Amino acid sequence: MKEENMKILVIGSGGREHTLAKVCSNSPLVDKVIVAPGNGGITKEFLTFPLDVEKNDQIVTLAKQEEVDFVIIGPEVPLCNGAVTTLASEGILAYGPNKEAARLEGSKAFSKDFLAKHGIPTASYGNFSEIQPALEYLSTCSLPVVVKASGLAAGKGVLICSTLKEAEFAVQDMLDGASFGDSGREVVIEEFLEGEEASLHLICSGENYVTLPISQDHKKVGEGDTGLNTGGMGAYAPTKLVTDEMLIEYENSIVIPTLKGLKADGIDFRGTLYIGLMLTSNGAKVLEFNVRFGDPETQVILPLVQEDLVPVLIQSAKAGTLPSKLAIKNQSAMIVVLASKGYPESYPKGEVIQQPELSSEDSQIIHAGTQLNEKQEIVSAGGRVLGAVGWGESLEQARDRAYELCEKIHFTSKYFRKDIGHKEFSRT
Ligand code: AMP
Ligand code: GLY
């Protein structure tokens, strides 16, 4: 493949993909970025194509038709469906793990067994596909207890149950296929861990990896981290929560054993490994593995990278050599997600969005659940609609810029948390 004047295809339609497309288009190696299917804001900025991300053949057809040099797969669903494996079989280079490696996210039961086998710290657990043994195991657990659908569930398949009754109901509901379909046909019952969460992103090429700045997401819909779990209502990076010394410790106890374990198990891991960490009083434990960039974490961590990421992504996809470290800007970044009121339950769609023309280099609007209507106006089309991103020399400055932008964007059901970063601001 050629590694200049490149044409890159980004697959996906969220804020993560908007950011990936922007990052790629800033690379001197890249001539053109196209996105499929994209969203309203992406379509105003990049050439987009309609596409069902769940159909590998459509991804291959588009990559061939547009003669792209490199494909970046954003979301977990096509990765777990083996999009990278299928593209590779057609001679098309793509960023992300192959089908087998993507099981680390696609099956929580698989990832828990992997963690246990390789002695990597995680919550104690049991995997079950039959109701009776699951109920028996539950009766031995202390409360609260965590019940998870093993398969993909868009962040909704995790229930923290404070009573045994609630947990029994969750297990039955999942195993019956009632609420989570096939994703719930196997469940993980897990010890509840207490602590603060951190998102650690790595770009991997087999056992080699390079770390990205550590970020913190805000999963709950309400201020003070209350209410229902969402895909993420805001994030910031870097965080004082994890010092350089702690990161080295986590690399030794978690990252290196994970990548060595994958290799020992015959799994060739390339692409992003996003490790959800719980920092407990007994050290850091793995809450989950994701095999793609986090959303909204991507929107804050990628722009903090000083150097061109495109060659790094290509090296990862080719199982080549990665730099041992990336140059990171001495800045902070924050994203505040503008959602539709009612999310993550039901919410209105189709509301016209008014957004300012941005001239500042210190803030950015990232599109997620938006589309164009017949009048070519940008309208809301999802729960998480936009992201307001701010940068600065300090997190306070980044926050002020992000929130200033939130006030300048209008749509009827606009809702956002006013306290993104609250834990970081209370750290001394
Ligand atoms: P997961 O998709 O497994 O990361 O779970 C989603 C969210 O549920 C996590 O970000 C945590 O906030 C929470 N969670 C998951 N597992 C546990 C656990 N064992 N203990 C406490 N909270 C958990
Ligand atoms: N922000 C959480 C995730 O991407 O899974």
Side-chain angles (χ1 to χ4, degrees), residues 7 17 20 49 65 114 141 143 160 204 208 236 256 259 265 315 318 346 361 370 399 423 425:
K7 186 169 181 184
E17 288 76 22
L20 282 165
F49 295 82
Q65 172 201 306
F114 171 85
C141 295
L143 295 169
I160 295 168
C204 304
N208 294 313
Y236 64 89
I256 295 170
L259 296 179
D265 291 351
Q315 283 303 104
K318 294 205 301 197
S346 57
E361 304 239 307
T370 66
R399 171 188 60 188
K423 287 186 180 143
F425 293 118

Side-chain angles (χ1 to χ4, degrees), residues 143-157:
L143 295 169
V145 63
V146 185
V147 179
K148 300 182 175 185
S150 176
L152 294 180
K156 297 185 186 103

Side-chain angles (χ1 to χ4, degrees), residues 216-223 225-226 228-236 295-297 334-341 343-344 383-388 403 406 415-421:
Q216 195 169 49
D217 188 11
H218 296 62
K219 293 223 165 88
K220 300 278 188 192
V221 71
E223 277 153 31
D225 300 314
T226 54
L228 295 173
N229 256 332
T230 70
M233 294 299 294
Y236 64 89
D295 190 339
E297 290 97 323
M334 181 180 287
I335 177 165
V336 179
V337 169
L338 300 171
S340 301
K341 192 140 186 72
Y343 171 75
R384 294 191 293 172
V385 180
L386 300 160
Y403 277 109
C406 289
Y415 163 76
F416 57 97
R417 275 181 62 167
K418 312 275 187 317
D419 65 345
I420 302 302

Side-chain angles (χ1 to χ4, degrees), residues 16 217 219 231-232 274 288 290 292-297 384:
R16 166 183 50 214
D217 188 11
K219 293 223 165 88
Y274 155 7
E288 63 162 348
N290 296 304
R292 35 91 197 163
F293 289 111
D295 190 339
E297 290 97 323
R384 294 191 293 172

